[in-house]
Amino acid sequence: MNITENNTVAEVVTSNIKTADIFKKHGIDFCCGGGISIKKACEKNNISYETLAKELSNMNNPVSKAYNYDSWKLDFLADHIENIHHSYVAESTPLVLQYAERVAKVHGHHYAEVIKINTLFKAVAQELAAHMKKEELILFPFIKQLVKADKAGIKVKTPHFGTVNNPIKMMEEEHENAGDILKEIKELSNNYTPPEGACNTFKALYAKLEEFEQDLHQHIHLENNILFPKAILLEQKNNQ
């Protein structure tokens, strides 16, 4: 869709449900109040149309790159996970919570599953926030210590948690639990398929939940399959 200032907010969101996140970020009502033009919505919310148009345009030009994560140094990989995936979770969680709460409140009497989805996402959001903090404050710094020690050829002092296997085991268990919750949400939402005639907030919720799950799968893959096994090997090497 070639977006102009005369298109209504609702038209743009209907054409591409992911644009809902941009409108939501700027406080523009894309659901019940989506019948006004983008130009009027910008004026009403004191937003530069040029700024909004640029953000909407950039959505149609995604940069997709295939990285060889397996070749990265562990400290760089840990920073990547934190800067990309942890940041994504931190930024997206409040938005999904708003969508889920609104949809549950407005549509829960017709679609009981959205009430359960709201409850489940609140639970996984709390778990992920605590989980990421433990990684950022405890596990990742120790992995970086191992990398520095390996480069310098020195021994690492035994951490308070004994061995890196202990926090890794805890993180993997928490990954599995988060994955199970999102799997249940996926089933409840019929693979993120909104019901016929669903409003734009309903559609935005399911689109964002699907995106959230996809990001978490990549996030967990990088940790479980690359970062953690290599950290265990690096610690074993340091202990020799």
Side-chain angles (χ1 to χ4, degrees), residues 35-208:
I36 63 173
S37 70
I38 295 177
K39 182 180 179 181
K40 286 185 179 179
C42 287
E43 292 172 352
K44 183 179 178 182
N45 290 274
N46 197 26
I47 299 164
S48 163
Y49 170 74
E50 288 71 24
T51 298
L52 186 66
K54 184 177 180 181
E55 290 185 36
L56 292 170
S57 177
N58 288 340
M59 284 200 67
N60 298 320
N61 299 290
V63 178
S64 179
K65 293 182 180 179
Y67 295 113
N68 182 14
Y69 299 105
D70 196 43
S71 69
W72 289 6
K73 300 294 184 183
L74 294 193
D75 50 353
F76 186 81
L77 179 57
D79 283 339
H80 171 83
I81 291 168
E82 184 173 340
N83 292 327
I84 301 300
H85 296 291
H86 285 198
S87 292
Y88 171 82
V89 172
E91 292 168 4
S92 298
T93 295
L95 189 60
V96 181
L97 287 171
Q98 287 182 52
Y99 287 159
E101 186 71 28
R102 181 178 175 87
V103 171
K105 184 177 181 180
V106 176
H107 302 284
H109 60 294
H110 281 146
Y111 304 100
E113 65 271 18
V114 298
I115 296 176
K116 180 66 173 175
I117 287 171
N118 184 35
T119 300
L120 287 170
F121 190 81
K122 285 179 180 178
V124 79
Q126 288 183 338
E127 289 186 19
L128 284 174
H131 172 89
M132 294 189 303
K133 192 62 67 178
K134 283 180 279 189
E135 288 184 337
E136 292 169 11
L137 296 179
I138 300 170
L139 181 55
F140 288 2
F142 181 68
I143 291 174
K144 292 175 185 179
Q145 281 184 42
L146 287 172
V147 174
K148 285 184 178 179
D150 187 58
K151 289 178 182 176
I154 60 176
K155 296 290 184 181
V156 171
K157 182 181 178 182
T158 302
H160 69 277
F161 46 76
T163 169
V164 76
N165 286 279
N166 292 326
I168 283 177
K169 184 179 179 182
M170 180 185 294
M171 295 303 100
E172 288 177 338
E173 289 174 353
E174 291 177 1
H175 284 166
E176 186 172 353
N177 189 51
D180 287 343
I181 294 176
L182 288 177
K183 183 179 179 182
E184 187 175 356
I185 289 175
K186 184 175 182 178
E187 291 172 353
L188 285 167
S189 64
N190 189 26
N191 292 332
Y192 309 112
T193 306
E196 191 74 27
C199 70
N200 279 333
T201 304
F202 209 137
K203 293 176 183 176
L205 169 64
Y206 279 13
K208 196 67 179 174

Side-chain angles (χ1 to χ4, degrees), residues 9 12-14 16-31 47 52 55-56 59 88 91-100 200-212:
V9 174
V12 175
V13 174
T14 299
N16 182 355
I17 193 62
K18 290 192 174 183
T19 60
D21 297 344
I22 293 176
F23 289 120
K24 181 72 174 177
K25 182 178 77 172
H26 290 289
I28 296 174
D29 183 1
F30 60 83
C31 196
I47 299 164
L52 186 66
E55 290 185 36
L56 292 170
M59 284 200 67
Y88 171 82
E91 292 168 4
S92 298
T93 295
L95 189 60
V96 181
L97 287 171
Q98 287 182 52
Y99 287 159
N200 279 333
T201 304
F202 209 137
K203 293 176 183 176
L205 169 64
Y206 279 13
K208 196 67 179 174
L209 282 170
E210 183 173 20
E211 179 188 274
F212 194 95

